[in-house]
Amino acid sequence: MVGYFPSWKPAKADDLRYDELTDIIYAFAIPTSEGDLRPLDNADIAKQIITKAHKQNVRVLLAVGGWSYNDVPLEATFVSATENDQKIKKFGDAIINMCDRYGFDGIDMDWEHPRVDGNTGKQYEALMLYLADKLHDEKKLLTSAVLSGATADGNVYYDAAAHSDAVLKAVDRIHVMAYDGGDGERHSPYDFSVNSIEYWTDTRNVDPNKVILGVPFYARPSWAGYGDIIKENKDAPKKDHVTYNGMDVYYNGLETMKKKAQYAKKNCGGIMIWELSQDSSDDNMSLLKVIADELSK
């Protein structure tokens, strides 16, 4: 049970349900094109989460990257930060140093995303192998957020191949982003999850225990959190599609999330959530609780 916590929502830290999680991923440490990291946002909250989590035997990882920073995509920043061996070492050391400074249990790499064309796949591999050696020497984890592997239509996602076999062997887990398949019903349906997991376990032959199914706690195209949606519509938990603020929105309701958890328990290593603060605080409506209940059976 892996859940991302966004650093820009510090007030939500007190709502974290440590008893239903194995890992919390603090998002994000932001790279610079020079191969450094920006100072960690809300570092005191990160320390607070680490302290509370460790008391309950929950690991806390630091996510590096994300899709964008200040609405500017980070892909080019990652490419620049790894453009030669010297910068790869500098960048890798900066990541390790931040991990050690705050006492994180490992790193989750969120380079979205290396590509097959050009050199970025090789740059990504070099960085990941460097991090794996250093982190594993410290008995810490290295995980990676990866493309769904398959599209919402079941076709292979071309750039998923940029996650090389060497990287897949080196990491402890991959967190499969089986969401954002589209703005409508393609956002994150059950079949999309199955196609995504089968790509990584069957086509790429990754150990299923290392493959974690990503699920969304938000809707498309509104990006509204599930918790906010169900406050406005009492029938929303039973559905995957409602009208919210005058807009048709698509998300995963209780039954779909239950079904995905059942699938994950049989076919892969667990569930990853983006992101925890978007859940309902009501136990009867909580997506996190539905997932936890299914995985613990």
Side-chain angles (χ1 to χ4, degrees), residues 8-297:
W8 55 93
K9 294 184 179 179
K12 295 284 190 177
D14 290 336
D15 299 332
L16 283 169
R17 302 165 71 135
Y18 298 93
D19 59 321
E20 293 178 342
L21 297 162
T22 59
D23 301 72
I24 296 169
I25 304 181
Y26 191 79
F28 292 102
I30 304 299
T32 72
S33 58
E34 292 77 32
D36 291 313
L37 290 174
R38 297 178 183 275
L40 188 63
D41 286 342
N42 290 310
D44 288 343
I45 297 297
K47 293 178 190 174
Q48 171 190 313
I49 291 172
I50 292 168
T51 299
K52 289 183 177 180
H54 285 174
K55 287 179 180 177
Q56 300 191 51
N57 296 314
V58 175
R59 294 175 293 253
V60 185
L61 280 67
L62 174 64
V64 177
W67 176 253
S68 64
Y69 178 68
N70 288 341
D71 295 327
V72 178
L74 284 168
E75 182 182 356
T77 302
F78 273 108
V79 173
S80 177
T82 57
E83 63 187 355
N84 57 51
D85 290 344
Q86 182 180 0
K87 289 182 81 171
I88 287 169
K89 182 180 185 303
K90 178 183 178 182
F91 188 33
D93 288 344
I95 292 169
I96 299 290
N97 289 341
M98 184 172 283
C99 181
D100 291 345
R101 176 183 175 188
Y102 292 104
F104 288 101
D105 298 296
I107 293 296
D108 180 66
M109 181 55 62
D110 283 56
W111 177 340
E112 300 180 26
H113 49 84
R115 299 182 183 273
V116 171
D117 295 334
N119 201 48
T120 62
K122 293 179 180 178
Q123 292 172 224
Y124 173 76
E125 178 181 281
L127 174 65
M128 293 298 282
L129 297 184
Y130 184 83
L131 288 172
D133 285 344
K134 297 289 187 180
L135 287 166
H136 291 156
D137 281 347
E138 296 183 13
K139 308 298 185 197
K140 294 191 175 186
L141 296 174
L142 177 62
T143 65
S144 180
V146 301
L147 291 168
S148 55
T151 67
D153 299 320
N155 300 313
V156 171
Y157 208 137
Y158 178 69
D159 280 323
H163 297 272
S164 69
D165 290 346
V167 169
L168 296 174
K169 183 178 179 181
V171 297
D172 297 288
R173 294 194 307 256
I174 58 171
H175 299 140
V176 181
M177 295 186 286
Y179 39 72
D180 296 338
D183 272 334
E185 59 188 10
R186 290 161 50 94
H187 167 35
S188 192
Y190 176 80
D191 289 347
F192 183 25
S193 296
V194 173
N195 292 336
S196 298
I197 294 303
E198 288 182 347
Y199 169 79
W200 292 105
T201 59
D202 298 355
T203 304
R204 300 298 303 277
N205 296 311
V206 182
D207 178 352
N209 291 316
K210 291 174 59 168
V211 180
I212 311 299
L213 172 61
V215 297
F217 277 16
Y218 63 94
R220 295 281 302 261
S222 67
W223 303 97
Y226 165 81
D228 291 331
I229 292 169
I230 68 170
K231 286 178 184 176
E232 298 296 321
N233 188 324
K234 63 179 174 45
D235 294 325
K238 304 172 186 175
K239 300 181 178 183
D240 291 335
H241 168 222
V242 295
T243 299
Y244 175 72
N245 287 344
M247 180 186 295
D248 280 346
V249 297
Y250 293 80
Y251 57 97
N252 287 175
L254 295 173
E255 283 304 311
T256 295
M257 204 61 82
K258 179 178 180 180
K259 191 177 176 184
K260 286 187 178 183
Q262 290 170 341
Y263 174 82
K265 185 171 183 179
K266 293 178 181 177
N267 296 280
C268 62
I271 291 280
M272 171 272 281
I273 296 146
W274 181 272
E275 46 88 350
L276 292 167
S277 77
Q278 296 170 317
D279 197 14
S280 170
S281 58
D282 183 341
D283 265 4
N284 295 320
M285 306 295 177
S286 167
L287 296 176
L288 182 64
K289 189 170 191 316
V290 165
I291 296 167
D293 286 350
E294 288 303 316
L295 295 187
S296 64
K297 287 181 179 177

